[in-house]
Amino acid sequence: MLNVNNNSGRIKREILVRIASLQLKGKLEEGVVSIPRELAPKGSEPVRCCIYHDREILRQRVIARLGCSNDDSDDEKNLSDYAKEALAREKPTEPFLSVLHEACNACVQTHYMVTNACQACFARPCMINCGKKAIAISNGRASIDSQKCVNCGLCMQNCPYHAIIKIPVPCEEACPVHAISKDESGKECIDYSKCIACGHCMSECPFGAMMDKSQLVDVLKHMMNGRKVVAMYAPAIASQFRSHSGQLEAALLAVGFSEVKEVALGADMTADKEAREFEERMKRADKLMTTSCCSAYVRAVKLHVPELLPCVSGTRSPMHYIAQLVKEENPESIAVFIGPCLSKRKEGMDDEFVDYVLSAEEIGALFIAKKVDVAQQKAVEHNTDDIATASGRNFAVSGGVAEAVRVRLKHPEKLRSTVINGLNSDGMKQLAFFGKIQSGAAAYTETTPNLVEVMSCEGGCIAGPSVISNPRIAAVQLKKYVESGKKNESVCEE
């Protein structure tokens, strides 16, 4: 994953800040047209061929940040018209992810290249281990015949000088389900029938060509119209801001939310239900159960490993349970989930209780636009009943969900858990393996895991595609948040 501190991410966040600031002043429609010129002023050094190309790319970024799709954007359409549409929009629209074709670099196909570090050594392991005889030595250096090469990578693995490198297409490389490929012009396209909304392509593209469609304009519209807008923040969001317990809630209230709910309370509900479900499944001699809180994983099973579907927990996600609680308390309120994840946008669109999903990027931009410093807020005092358990808050890290289930089991000794830490190509292979176990194509033994936790992002939600804090720093902040939680996890009844 690209470090969160990069120019692409900075520009995305700056556009969000400007859009939010304009909307709060009631000047979005007339002011949005100036954003590309302000970010690429006359006389500045262009990133692409010229300043006008840079502005066109910025224009497309603004369209996505307004929550509109770039896939069918009109070159002649003014940004003010897109802003007008965004303000009139009743609900978010699909697709949840857009490709900015002007920003796409049309990277050359993945291949291996010999660098000048090659010593044309006597051992020549690159040649010896190439089954396709695609490597030859000429002019004192190895060379690769692209017509024979099958991109197996054995030459790179065997070179003692690390003189052979892989030149990837980052977005294609990051996609675990091969949903991204080139069109006839060499630009990347997304096959939404395969896409699991993991957001890995968005994290990895160094040109920022993969962009999610923001819902910030929609949420601000309801706030400014006087609706009761309830913020539901995921445990991972508590790790994105350096603050003490209660300060994040205070900041969310300060920017206009009417009420704030801790989604970790929903995680407690999910863990309670999954623990009971696990006990029931083991009683009826099921082979295994997988967790269900990662919506990218659930979508991956539905689309790519359907034989594993019977094993997916029937329990809903923490987001769902908290949103349901919000709607039960006040059906007219607007339920807004705040998380670090792209797949939650898709889940939110399909959930009957969730109105909108904001990312860490969006809420961070809103804090800036409203000049709210989270660390300077006076902490909100919590009622004990409104504080989640430590294990519920720990859902944000890989292994946290399985542990939350374990501590609630009446017979934890029967649990044999494992974690698929990240849905990359290896993670998908692990899913396929468990699918074979379920279908009977692979052997099931007494040592086979009977609870499988799956996280789409390596390290867990704190490393999601829309985070604004380095995952290592976020892990430290999350630990503080977890330790301030209640310790009394309940054991499920038989």
Side-chain angles (χ1 to χ4, degrees):
M1 175 177 161
L2 282 175
N3 190 298
V4 292
N5 295 316
N6 64 73
N7 194 52
S8 175
R10 181 186 65 80
I11 288 295
K12 285 174 63 179
R13 291 190 286 272
E14 179 61 26
I15 291 173
L16 279 171
V17 171
R18 290 172 184 254
I19 286 175
S21 298
L22 287 168
Q23 187 174 357
L24 290 166
K25 295 173 184 176
K27 298 180 178 180
L28 182 59
E29 288 185 48
E30 62 265 40
V32 73
V33 295
S34 301
I35 293 177
R37 292 198 305 272
E38 291 169 354
L39 293 178
K42 191 174 181 178
S44 61
E45 184 177 350
V47 177
R48 291 293 185 132
C49 58
C50 65
I51 202 72
Y52 302 105
H53 193 182
D54 286 355
R55 288 178 181 175
E56 174 54 28
I57 294 173
L58 286 166
R59 175 181 173 274
Q60 291 191 12
R61 296 192 193 285
V62 171
I63 292 172
R65 299 287 81 179
L66 287 169
C68 302
S69 179
N70 291 91
D71 294 340
D72 56 358
S73 61
D74 184 350
D75 292 341
E76 302 300 321
K77 194 171 180 178
N78 198 293
L79 282 177
S80 61
D81 293 325
Y82 282 106
K84 186 175 182 179
E85 284 184 11
L87 291 170
R89 186 170 53 225
E90 293 186 3
K91 60 181 181 179
T93 60
E94 294 202 48
F96 39 81
L97 185 66
S98 284
V99 181
L100 311 187
H101 288 290
E102 286 297 325
C104 180
N105 194 48
C107 303
V108 296
Q109 198 63 43
T110 297
H111 65 284
Y112 290 84
M113 183 179 80
V114 181
T115 70
N116 58 11
C118 177
Q119 304 293 305
C121 65
F122 176 69
R124 299 186 177 177
C126 58
M127 291 181 62
I128 299 300
N129 288 282
C130 179
K132 299 298 181 180
K133 307 300 180 186
I135 300 179
I137 303 293
S138 60
N139 300 319
R141 184 188 298 181
S143 62
I144 301 174
D145 186 337
S146 61
Q147 299 299 314
K148 295 180 180 179
C149 179
V150 294
N151 290 327
C152 67
L154 286 174
C155 55
M156 182 179 73
Q157 295 171 26
N158 285 281
C159 177
Y161 292 102
H162 304 287
I164 301 177
I165 60 174
K166 183 178 183 178
I167 309 296
V169 177
C171 61
E172 291 185 17
E173 190 90 354
C175 181
V177 294
H178 308 292
I180 301 176
S181 59
K182 295 182 180 298
D183 62 14
E184 60 277 1
S185 67
K187 303 284 188 176
E188 302 297 334
C189 293
I190 300 173
D191 184 343
Y192 295 106
S193 68
K194 295 180 179 179
C195 177
I196 61 173
C198 64
H200 295 342
C201 59
M202 193 169 71
S203 298
E204 292 296 332
C205 177
F207 292 91
M210 304 288 180
M211 286 191 67
D212 57 321
K213 291 162 56 178
S214 174
Q215 297 177 15
L216 183 57
V217 168
D218 308 74
V219 173
L220 284 178
K221 177 182 66 176
H222 289 299
M223 284 183 179
M224 296 171 73
N225 287 340
R227 295 289 298 276
K228 180 177 181 179
V229 183
V230 181
M232 310 176 296
Y233 72 93
I237 295 301
S239 73
Q240 299 299 300
F241 304 94
R242 297 191 182 189
S243 60
H244 299 296
S245 178
Q247 287 185 309
L248 176 59
E249 290 92 333
L252 290 168
L253 292 170
V255 297
F257 288 100
S258 308
E259 188 179 348
V260 180
K261 296 284 189 182
E262 183 184 9
V263 177
L265 290 166
D268 284 333
M269 298 179 201
T270 294
D272 290 344
K273 293 176 184 292
E274 286 200 336
R276 287 194 291 271
E277 183 180 352
F278 177 79
E279 296 272 10
E280 293 167 1
R281 282 174 176 263
M282 293 305 103
K283 281 182 182 178
R284 67 178 188 236
D286 281 11
K287 293 178 181 178
L288 58 95
M289 183 180 96
T290 74
T291 57
S292 62
C293 70
C294 177
S295 51
Y297 155 65
V298 176
R299 187 170 170 85
V301 171
K302 289 179 179 178
L303 296 179
H304 302 282
V305 196
E307 59 271 26
L308 192 58
L309 195 56
C311 301
V312 178
S313 168
T315 300
R316 301 291 292 269
S317 72
M319 176 180 77
H320 170 82
Y321 291 121
I322 286 297
Q324 182 178 17
L325 182 64
V326 168
K327 293 295 188 178
E328 287 173 353
E329 292 176 353
N330 184 349
E332 299 303 313
S333 62
I334 303 296
V336 181
F337 176 81
I338 305 171
C341 179
L342 177 67
S343 69
K344 288 296 179 184
R345 287 214 197 278
K346 174 59 178 171
E347 183 186 345
M349 289 179 181
D350 297 335
D351 194 298
E352 64 271 31
F353 299 120
V354 178
D355 294 300
Y356 299 102
V357 174
L358 294 184
S359 67
E361 288 179 328
E362 289 165 313
I363 204 64
L366 183 55
F367 286 152
I368 295 172
K370 294 276 282 188
K371 296 181 172 57
V372 171
D373 185 342
V374 180
Q376 297 300 316
Q377 299 302 302
K378 182 179 179 181
V380 171
E381 294 292 331
H382 288 292
N383 185 307
T384 304
D385 293 336
D386 294 331
I387 302 176
T389 65
S391 65
R393 290 180 170 185
N394 213 38
F395 261 51
V397 293
S398 188
V401 180
E403 176 60 16
V405 171
R406 186 194 68 78
V407 298
R408 288 166 168 79
L409 292 177
K410 192 143 184 109
H411 301 288
E413 70 278 2
K414 295 181 179 180
L415 180 73
R416 301 186 304 275
S417 65
T418 191
V419 176
I420 297 180
N421 184 20
L423 281 185
N424 49 26
S425 58
D426 288 338
M428 290 303 296
K429 289 177 182 177
Q430 292 179 67
L431 281 191
F433 171 72
F434 284 112
K436 290 179 179 178
I437 288 177
Q438 170 61 20
S439 66
Y444 176 82
T445 70
E446 292 183 356
T447 61
T448 301
N450 53 15
L451 179 69
V452 182
E453 177 198 304
V454 188
M455 286 285 190
S456 172
C457 300
E458 186 176 349
C461 304
I462 59 172
S466 298
V467 297
I468 55 177
S469 178
N470 185 297
R472 292 181 181 178
I473 297 173
V476 174
Q477 188 64 34
L478 180 71
K479 185 177 180 181
K480 296 177 183 177
Y481 170 65
V482 169
E483 289 174 350
S484 64
K486 293 187 298 184
K487 305 298 180 181
N488 55 326
E489 289 86 353
S490 59
V491 176
C492 68
E493 299 179 359
E494 291 188 288

